[in-house]
Amino acid sequence: MINKNELRLLRGALEKLEAGFTDLPEFIPEFDETALADVLGEVAERMQDNYPYYHPLYAGQMLKPPHPVARIAYAMSLWVNPNNHALDGGRASSAMEKECIVDLGAMFGWESPLGHLTGGGTMANLEALWVAGRLHPGKRNIASTQAHYTHSRISEVLGIPFSPVAVSSNGRMDIDAIEALLQQGDVGTVVVTMGNTGLGAVDPLPDILALREKFDFRIHADAAYGGYFGLASNLNADTEQAYAALTHVDSIVIDPHKHGLQPYGCGCILFRDPSVGSLYKHDSPFTYFSSAELHLGEISLECSRPGASAVALWATQRLMPLEKGGEFANDLGCSLSAARNFHARLDAIEFFTPLMAPELDIVVYAVNAADTTTASASARRLFDSAADKGLHLALIELPVSLTGHWLTDIEVNSDSITCLRSVLMKPEHQDWTQRIVAILEECVA
Ligand SMILES: *Cc1c(COP(=O)(O)O)cnc(C)c1O
């Protein structure tokens, strides 16, 4: 779990940091070491009550530890504890945040986006939909039934009407259903999910963009989970086209704490048109906004924010730039390969029916049974017995209308069916699918 070299690297980084603060009279805070050690021992013991997210046999939810460079940079910056709300709270870390935003925007082909880091995808989506609502007052937000539930809830918070859009059997937003809603004339914003959290399906962005020729609406891309996958070199052709089209949307949410190797507390909102910055401030003296000109507190709904998040992200992007063909991109490709591989292995086993082929790195699979109620109960039992053998999976509840296309020989005696779900988001998963499947087979036997 812990590579001891990290502790050595942290010490070295701290010594370098401290060397920048030697012109003041010496001042070293003191503490009672024994008391701290006692409490820390207790904390370590409490923290043992977690699933082993770092291990490839954790193949459940979207969880993994940050990259060592992010963890060390984050920890180091805590001795300063910068606040990126305002420049005097975090001068260096604010500059680093702006550089991160430039690189994230460039990944989507944006030259001067307005953007900043947030506490997570929820806050980032709140900002996107708040701006969308200001620009299309009184209009409706629509998002897929497989979109993150945060969109209907955020719409409620903002007092914006919301409608769900049906998905096709591949989990993507159904284009005819979108058009039918657009024809009603009151849609202000279409939320397009670039990799939904349950299935990893990518909404058909090129088709949605084409609808803008007939209808006037804003497009917000929720790429909290899937935003980085445009860098991977092994996407399906249509998924790749959807990512290529991202450059034409109005706003993008991406979560560095999902696939960007960051500790929690790191989401990001990007707006293609920096002039939306004027919405944040009613008496702004600026006529043109870009993240480079404003300090971050002026373009963020949140006030105090951890500068440490920006420091960690900057270090990670420095070590592993957001480039096609680079190490970071290749690791995403490995996750996708792992998911494809896992899907194929499951398909070869009598006991399971995997649903749609993975577009990103999520695999959803049903347990074969005579009817949907039995299949659900078996999935839940398997979830428990796998955990007993050290293999940690996740469950997902899906409407039978969605699974019907994949599960053809099953009697439907419930509205929904519980399936197993694995997010294979660690590149190492590629080398572990065989072992994971072997454990599943043991459980079944
Ligand atoms: C995780 C996720 C969110 C919510 O983001 P948080 O960082 O958990 O607040 C929103 N949308 C999608 C698609 C997600 O995967």
Side-chain angles (χ1 to χ4, degrees):
M1 181 184 185
I2 298 168
N3 182 332
K4 300 286 188 296
N5 291 334
E6 285 190 48
L7 303 177
R8 197 166 45 77
L9 287 166
L10 173 60
R11 178 188 286 269
L14 281 170
E15 279 165 10
K16 176 99 188 222
L17 171 70
E18 194 175 34
F21 293 88
T22 47
D23 49 347
L24 291 171
E26 181 160 301
F27 167 70
I28 296 177
E30 288 178 5
F31 53 82
D32 173 349
E33 199 176 323
T34 317
L36 255 74
D38 286 350
V39 171
L40 289 173
E42 237 179 287
V43 171
E45 214 170 300
R46 293 292 296 263
M47 288 298 288
Q48 290 171 356
D49 180 29
N50 270 302
Y51 296 109
Y53 308 117
Y54 75 97
H55 199 281
L57 285 183
Y58 184 85
Q61 309 281 6
M62 254 167 223
L63 288 158
K64 64 175 177 182
H67 191 280
V69 79
R71 181 161 48 217
I72 295 167
Y74 195 103
M76 180 196 63
S77 79
L78 291 181
W79 270 267
V80 176
N81 196 26
N83 183 342
N84 275 16
H85 174 217
L87 284 180
D88 50 1
R91 215 161 50 203
S93 50
S94 292
M96 290 159 108
E97 178 165 336
K98 289 173 182 179
E99 290 172 38
C100 288
I101 294 299
V102 169
D103 287 351
L104 284 165
M107 181 169 71
F108 301 112
W110 291 356
E111 262 173 36
S112 55
L114 185 93
H116 59 87
L117 301 181
T118 63
T122 303
M123 268 312 296
N125 277 303
L126 172 71
E127 267 183 50
L129 295 184
W130 173 68
V131 165
R134 297 281 300 273
L135 294 174
H136 288 266
K139 294 274 183 86
R140 181 174 301 277
N141 293 334
I142 65 173
S144 130
T145 51
Q146 286 297 319
H148 200 282
Y149 64 82
T150 196
H151 294 289
S152 63
R153 208 158 62 178
I154 288 171
S155 299
E156 199 175 304
V157 169
L158 295 170
I160 298 174
F162 176 89
S163 298
V165 185
V167 293
S168 331
S169 55
N170 55 17
R172 303 179 191 170
M173 195 147 53
D174 184 80
I175 197 74
D176 296 332
I178 300 174
E179 183 155 10
L181 281 166
L182 288 170
Q183 260 153 6
Q184 293 176 12
D186 69 339
V187 173
T189 300
V190 177
V191 177
V192 176
T193 307
M194 300 301 288
N196 53 45
T197 317
L199 308 166
V202 178
D203 284 338
L205 182 54
D207 300 339
I208 296 166
L209 279 167
L211 287 171
R212 280 216 286 209
E213 281 165 26
K214 277 204 265 176
F215 304 95
D216 170 36
F217 59 93
R218 195 175 163 80
I219 299 181
H220 167 59
D222 181 0
Y225 147 66
Y228 289 103
F229 272 95
L231 294 175
S233 58
N234 54 349
L235 297 173
N236 299 327
D238 52 349
T239 309
E240 191 165 354
Q241 278 162 20
Y243 276 95
L246 257 181
T247 192
H248 302 298
V249 306
D250 298 292
S251 52
I252 298 174
V253 162
I254 181 167
D255 260 1
H257 70 200
K258 289 257 178 73
H259 250 302
L261 306 171
Q262 298 309 296
Y264 283 112
C266 193
C268 176
I269 171 67
L270 298 167
F271 296 99
R272 185 172 47 134
D273 174 5
S275 73
V276 300
S278 60
L279 297 171
Y280 285 82
K281 226 177 170 226
H282 56 87
D283 58 350
S284 168
F286 297 92
T287 50
Y288 183 78
F289 290 86
S290 79
S291 312
E293 287 157 10
L294 288 178
H295 74 70
L296 296 161
E298 291 174 285
I299 53 157
S300 165
L301 287 185
E302 282 171 285
C303 295
S304 292
R305 288 187 298 107
S309 291
V311 173
L313 184 60
W314 190 92
T316 310
Q317 291 184 184
R318 183 87 174 163
L319 183 71
M320 288 176 290
L322 304 172
E323 296 165 351
K324 285 194 177 181
E327 182 187 356
F328 180 79
N330 290 344
D331 281 353
L332 290 164
C334 288
S335 295
L336 170 52
S337 296
R340 283 183 179 143
N341 190 296
F342 187 50
H343 187 274
R345 287 182 192 276
L346 289 170
D347 209 20
I349 299 177
E350 196 69 50
F351 199 76
F352 298 105
T353 300
L355 307 191
M356 65 286 286
E359 267 191 274
L360 302 181
D361 60 6
I362 300 177
V363 181
V364 176
Y365 41 116
V367 178
N368 290 332
D371 61 82
T372 52
T373 308
T374 311
S376 296
S378 304
R380 279 184 233 111
R381 256 199 323 274
L382 196 72
F383 172 87
D384 289 331
S385 54
D388 288 342
K389 294 185 192 303
L391 171 65
H392 300 280
L393 311 169
L395 294 168
I396 183 169
E397 196 69 22
L398 292 171
V400 290
S401 57
L402 174 62
T403 56
H405 177 81
W406 310 100
L407 309 174
T408 45
D409 293 332
I410 193 168
E411 184 202 331
V412 175
N413 58 358
S414 54
D415 296 334
S416 65
I417 174 166
T418 312
C419 295
L420 291 156
R421 169 173 165 270
S422 288
V423 185
L424 300 179
M425 72 188 309
K426 291 178 277 270
E428 299 82 14
H429 272 133
Q430 202 174 209
D431 303 326
W432 284 72
T433 55
Q434 192 176 359
R435 252 171 96 179
I436 291 172
V437 170
I439 296 175
L440 283 172
E441 284 184 303
E442 263 178 58
C443 294
V444 171

